[in-house]
Amino acid sequence: MAVNTYKNLRNQVMYSVFVRNYSPEGTFEALRRDLDRICGLGVDIIWLLPIHPIGEKCRKGSLGSPYAIKDYRGINPEYGTLEDFKRLIDDIHKRGMKCIIDVVYNHTSPDSWLAENHPEWFYHKPDGSFGNRIADWYDVIDLDYSQQELWDYQIETLKQWAAIVDGFRCDVAPLIPLEFWLRARKEVAQICPDCIWLSESVEPFFITEGRADGLSVLSDSEIFQAFDIAYDYDIFDRFRDYHKGKAPLSRYAESINQQEYIYPANYVKLRYLENHDNPRAAFIIPDRTMLINWTAFIYFQKGMTLIYAGQEVEAAHRPDLFDKDTIIWDSGRDLSELLQRLGKIKKNSLVTDSKYEVNAFTHDIIYAVHHAQDHQLSGIFSMRGESALVPVNVPDGRYINLVDGSSIEVYEGKLPCHGKPIIFEV
């Protein structure tokens, strides 16, 4: 684990934005005008998907993937100018929030500035042409990190952006040498001492299959040496299996508990129901009561909470990455007030540093607890929206449900759950 990773990152809420599809205009300015609303949700950090110019060669869709970057040091003109971007960052900071940007260092577009000026820094196929190691990514070409001059250029680029933003979300970071990330973190700290490092760590099958194909792919245990936060992909397949009816809820709960002893004491996982690479939560969990329980649970979990823009209005359609596909904001549904309340609970010091335990009971009810000294924060989440009498390890008495302010009662070691989330402190 990065030795200077702060545990209070577990009290933070991150909000992910794809500028192109956030608004009809698809600009920095349109996002800037909406910052008060975002801040009002209780957001601490805004993560912007790649903001750089997109390559034109081998594009996917009409506009291309933001992850097929043409120039790491430029700004996508569709979004605005560098001055527009800096004004957005300034206004984010004025509201007490931070901003991180996407770093896509495994590959570039085939017509990138680097490909044209430093072809020797790229992976080449046996015939000498550019190529990539993952066939589905046909719109990009891979970089070659055996070239030390590439390290210098990439780290210098990070330092330039670190003078403006507060951190980086690093795309498929496990495909890049750990030594590169360690050096990058050390040098960037000279510019931005509290830089936030988020790794898109990868699924277990990606690691095993990649290694079988001869790739060097970092595990989460390795990636945590250089990064503050890592994706939850190590257990996300169990979340998906539960919703597909392939595995019981208890299997997912067990995998969460396992994280408590396989990672360092200050590990921070990014907890989410959805992101730009996966289906919307409202699509896979169409029942609103169930969705509310799952939403409350990701805030309760030990780790940083991620909200993908549009999740607060229960958007069920995942925006296309390759074409204009604006979020439908007038869905007629709104979880904003719930997120505001959950955001306040997220700041509880028990979430910062605790022994964390998750149990799955009958009726698919999760009973999770943050223990710290003589206090505990307990959460009960009915993942099917069903009612049940739940055994809890707290003294009998009356408590306040922090989710909605209602009074709850524990009697003879049991608490009635009526299908809605319950969070209370003892």
Side-chain angles (χ1 to χ4, degrees):
M1 191 78 197
V3 294
N4 56 344
T5 292
Y6 300 113
K7 290 182 179 179
N8 63 9
L9 288 170
R10 296 168 177 164
N11 300 103
Q12 305 281 296
V13 176
M14 182 177 288
Y15 188 83
S16 175
V17 173
F18 181 21
V19 175
R20 175 195 293 164
N21 288 334
Y22 187 82
S23 64
E25 302 93 327
T27 62
F28 294 132
E29 177 59 22
L31 173 60
R32 190 184 69 83
R33 293 196 299 265
D34 202 30
L35 288 179
D36 285 337
R37 185 193 67 82
I38 295 172
C39 185
L41 294 174
V43 170
D44 301 286
I45 304 166
I46 293 177
W47 153 31
L48 301 178
L49 270 67
I51 59 168
H52 309 297
I54 295 171
E56 298 176 8
K57 188 176 181 180
C58 299
R59 272 189 173 182
K60 289 183 177 181
S62 62
L63 297 177
S65 168
Y67 291 91
I69 292 173
K70 190 171 185 177
D71 181 3
Y72 289 126
R73 298 184 178 182
I75 290 286
N76 187 338
E78 300 171 27
Y79 298 169
T81 64
L82 178 60
E83 289 69 29
D84 294 330
F85 177 67
K86 289 181 177 179
R87 184 161 50 249
L88 170 65
I89 301 303
D90 286 344
D91 277 13
I92 288 173
H93 289 162
K94 286 176 182 176
R95 287 161 175 80
M97 298 184 290
K98 294 183 177 181
C99 183
I100 68 173
I101 59 172
D102 232 311
V103 171
V104 189
Y105 269 12
N106 178 67
H107 47 256
T108 74
S109 69
D111 55 347
S112 68
W113 186 91
L114 282 182
E116 293 175 357
N117 290 273
H118 290 285
E120 72 278 12
W121 292 352
F122 284 80
Y123 162 77
H124 294 274
K125 294 186 289 187
D127 64 3
S129 62
F130 290 126
N132 65 65
R133 300 172 181 86
I134 300 177
D136 183 53
W137 299 353
Y138 64 80
D139 60 336
V140 297
I141 54 175
D142 286 0
L143 289 158
D144 177 6
Y145 279 83
S146 69
Q147 307 296 319
Q148 289 299 309
E149 294 85 357
L150 172 62
W151 290 37
D152 298 337
Y153 180 88
Q154 299 291 63
I155 292 173
E156 182 59 34
T157 302
L158 288 171
K159 290 163 70 174
Q160 290 180 20
W161 289 113
I164 302 172
V165 301
D166 305 289
F168 306 103
R169 178 268 187 190
C170 301
D171 189 65
V172 286
L175 291 179
I176 296 165
L178 175 61
E179 292 75 14
F180 171 83
W181 293 123
L182 290 168
R183 178 184 156 191
R185 183 182 180 109
K186 181 178 180 180
E187 293 193 27
V188 167
Q190 299 170 11
I191 307 298
C192 180
D194 294 324
C195 183
I196 299 165
W197 292 88
L198 165 62
S199 166
E200 184 202 20
S201 45
V202 293
E203 298 91 340
F205 78 86
F206 191 107
I207 297 174
T208 56
E209 291 298 313
R211 289 174 175 176
D213 290 338
L215 295 179
S216 177
V217 188
L218 301 174
S219 67
D220 282 21
S221 296
E222 292 170 299
I223 212 74
F224 265 135
Q225 296 177 55
F227 285 82
D228 301 305
I229 315 157
Y231 264 45
D232 217 11
Y233 277 157
D234 56 323
I235 65 171
F236 197 60
D237 61 332
R238 299 183 181 183
F239 166 81
R240 288 181 291 209
D241 285 347
Y242 167 73
H243 286 285
K244 293 176 182 177
K246 293 182 177 180
L249 187 62
S250 59
R251 187 166 181 261
Y252 178 54
E254 290 165 3
S255 65
I256 296 172
N257 289 333
Q258 187 179 44
Q259 291 176 328
E260 278 287 274
Y261 58 81
I262 65 173
Y263 296 132
N266 61 338
Y267 83 98
V268 183
K269 275 288 180 176
L270 190 68
R271 309 294 190 175
Y272 44 81
L273 300 179
E274 62 180 64
N275 57 47
H276 68 269
D277 284 323
N278 285 279
R280 288 284 198 178
F283 178 79
I284 61 173
I285 312 171
D287 181 274
R288 194 165 197 266
T289 299
M290 292 169 60
L291 181 62
I292 287 172
N293 275 278
W294 277 103
T295 301
F297 181 56
I298 63 162
Y299 272 80
F300 186 86
Q301 282 246 65
K302 177 183 278 189
M304 181 180 288
T305 300
L306 174 69
I307 297 296
Y308 184 33
Q311 189 172 342
E312 65 268 42
V313 295
E314 301 175 55
H317 170 68
R318 180 179 61 180
D320 194 302
L321 276 181
F322 315 125
D323 290 287
K324 182 65 176 173
D325 191 11
T326 306
I327 296 169
I328 300 173
W329 291 101
D330 57 348
S331 65
R333 298 175 298 277
D334 195 350
L335 294 175
S336 296
E337 289 188 12
L338 173 66
L339 302 190
Q340 291 168 6
R341 295 194 299 271
L342 294 172
K344 293 177 181 177
I345 297 172
K346 190 71 177 170
K347 298 297 184 284
N348 192 305
S349 60
L350 287 167
V351 178
T352 315
D353 194 7
S354 68
K355 174 189 174 185
Y356 183 54
E357 185 176 3
V358 180
N359 292 282
F361 292 157
T362 56
H363 301 280
D364 281 4
I365 288 178
I366 285 282
Y367 173 43
V369 181
H370 290 279
H371 301 269
Q373 297 178 344
D374 296 328
H375 300 280
Q376 68 180 53
L377 187 69
S378 300
I380 296 172
F381 310 94
S382 181
M383 300 317 196
R384 290 206 309 253
E386 296 184 4
S387 299
L389 201 58
V390 182
V392 293
N393 188 25
V394 300
D396 285 1
R398 301 192 72 85
Y399 301 94
I400 298 297
N401 182 1
L402 301 176
V403 178
D404 60 13
S406 63
S407 177
I408 56 176
E409 183 177 7
V410 176
Y411 180 66
E412 294 185 344
K414 294 183 178 180
L415 175 62
C417 168
H418 300 292
K420 295 181 179 180
I422 299 170
I423 298 175
F424 64 103
E425 187 172 352
V426 180

